[in-house]
Amino acid sequence: MSTGTRVQDPNMGNDTDAGRVDSSIPGPAQGAARSGVSDVLPVVVSVVPFAVVIGVAIARTAEIGGVLGVLASAGYYSGSAELASIGLVADGAGVIAVLGTTALVNARLLVYGASLQPRFRDQPGWFRWLAPHFVIDQTYAIATSRDDLGSPERFRAYWLAAGGTLGLGWLAAITAGIVLGPVLPDLPAMGFAVPAVFLALLVPQLRTAAARRPAAVAAVVAVAASWMPHGFGLLVGVIAGLIPALLDPGRTR
Amino acid sequence: MIPALALIAGVAVTYVLRIAFIVLVPADRLPGRVRGALDDVGPAAMAAIIATHLVHGGGPVGSPVPTLAGIVVASAVAWRTSNLAATVVSGIAAVAFVMAVL
């Protein structure tokens, strides 16, 4: 990405030209923020059907009011775990059941966090503690698909813009589901939007053998383990996809 | 009260899972082989999500046949264009078309 930006370099002393920054020209961080928004907008569209389903589930669960539902949605920022939790609450389950199920469904976030940690290492404390809230399948996928987020400032701007935009769209769609769900028409083909996003991000990576091996192993094992409850088979598939690299001494770093 | 506490517990454990290897035990303290394998997390996770969606009957689509058609069309578009929006739109269109024909 070309920014064409003049920024002040503290090592340039009294160079008067370097001391002036044209605020009308987007800086590297602004450019990264714009990339974050543009990358995530198709993702926002793709998650709307799922978010509406969650909104309808909240509206049909008497134990969860609309306000609590929206607050929980903001807190979870994770549709599959929230939907599982809503189902458990509707069935009268207690705190331990919801906590345990959520931990199983979201265990893959541990792996995403570990993979993203180098991007967070040189960030300010507030960002390291708060911004992981945006770690989810889609944000992980788009952020790791880019190779121009090397500087902490660029990654910070990109991550906040992408995560914030997706979060706002997500909450707006859930709210719409709560309010309008019962009268919305059924569009089952839209249910393909979520896997389509992952195909769009995965398929171009498969041009390299390094990506084909973990993808193939993970897909086969995830299918074989799909009988497991609460999405646990997905986690088993992901971990299986990492095993060849774990056993390869050439991949140590 | 119990539903609120249960959802708060779910939110709390989700947050802990997110920060665990970023703040609590930074991943750069993990063994070298584990860090070497982290590059494979993205392809493995995305492939597992797609495969799980297919094997679970296509989710809201309700049948694996339209989903399989969507995967084939979306994969071809993604391979040729690397364009996210074109891939999503073509995949949904393929699913809708096959559902209408079946």
Side-chain angles (χ1 to χ4, degrees):
Chain A
M1 180 191 319
S2 172
T3 59
T5 310
R6 281 188 311 174
V7 294
Q8 184 172 4
D9 183 341
N11 297 319
M12 294 181 75
N14 294 324
D15 185 331
T16 53
D17 186 51
R20 288 193 299 271
V21 178
D22 185 346
S23 60
S24 66
I25 303 173
Q30 286 176 283
R34 288 180 184 177
S35 298
V37 173
S38 63
D39 284 357
V40 88
L41 280 178
V43 177
V44 173
V45 175
S46 75
V47 301
V48 164
F50 190 27
V52 170
V53 167
I54 291 175
V56 173
I58 291 170
R60 292 177 181 171
T61 305
E63 293 84 353
I64 306 173
V67 173
L68 177 60
V70 172
L71 290 175
S73 301
Y76 270 92
Y77 195 58
S78 168
S80 50
E82 184 181 359
L83 197 56
S85 299
I86 291 169
L88 287 169
V89 168
D91 291 340
V95 173
I96 300 299
V98 171
L99 193 149
T101 300
T102 302
L104 279 178
V105 173
N106 277 343
R108 69 193 186 287
L109 302 182
L110 276 174
V111 188
Y112 293 164
S115 179
L116 288 168
Q117 186 265 342
R119 301 285 196 191
F120 283 82
R121 184 172 45 215
D122 299 321
Q123 301 287 355
W126 66 266
F127 186 85
R128 281 186 285 117
W129 281 97
L130 298 178
H133 180 62
F134 291 142
V135 173
I136 194 62
D137 304 298
Q138 289 87 351
T139 53
Y140 173 81
I142 62 169
T144 54
S145 295
R146 297 191 70 97
D147 57 5
D148 60 348
L149 302 176
S151 80
E153 294 78 12
R154 284 186 59 79
F155 177 76
R156 192 161 65 242
Y158 182 91
W159 186 256
L160 292 176
T165 302
L166 181 56
L168 286 175
W170 176 249
L171 288 180
I174 286 177
T175 305
I178 294 172
V179 176
L180 304 172
V183 296
L184 287 175
D186 192 20
L187 297 171
M190 290 298 292
F192 186 70
V194 171
V197 166
F198 290 113
L199 279 171
L201 297 167
L202 171 65
V203 169
Q205 294 185 37
L206 297 181
R207 293 191 174 97
T208 66
R212 283 197 292 271
R213 183 175 63 176
V217 173
V220 170
V221 175
V223 169
S226 61
W227 55 271
M228 293 182 174
H230 306 309
F232 197 61
L234 174 62
L235 178 66
V236 171
V238 174
I239 292 172
L242 306 182
I243 289 176
L246 289 169
L247 299 177
D248 181 357
R251 294 288 297 273
T252 302
R253 67 180 187 189
Chain B
M1 189 64 180
I2 294 293
L5 287 176
L7 293 177
I8 290 170
V11 168
V13 74
T14 299
Y15 176 68
V16 170
L17 291 169
R18 285 182 165 122
I19 65 168
F21 285 140
I22 293 177
V23 180
L24 303 181
V25 183
D28 51 14
R29 296 183 197 166
L30 295 172
R33 283 197 185 183
V34 174
R35 280 182 280 128
L38 293 178
D39 290 339
D40 289 356
V41 172
M46 287 184 271
I49 290 170
I50 295 163
T52 304
H53 190 86
L54 177 63
V55 83
H56 282 164
V61 174
S63 166
V65 176
T67 301
L68 191 57
I71 288 175
V72 171
V73 171
S75 298
V77 173
W79 184 268
R80 290 292 299 271
T81 69
S82 298
N83 183 294
L84 199 155
T87 302
V88 172
V89 170
S90 63
I92 291 173
V95 171
F97 177 76
V98 174
M99 289 180 77
V101 169
L102 288 180

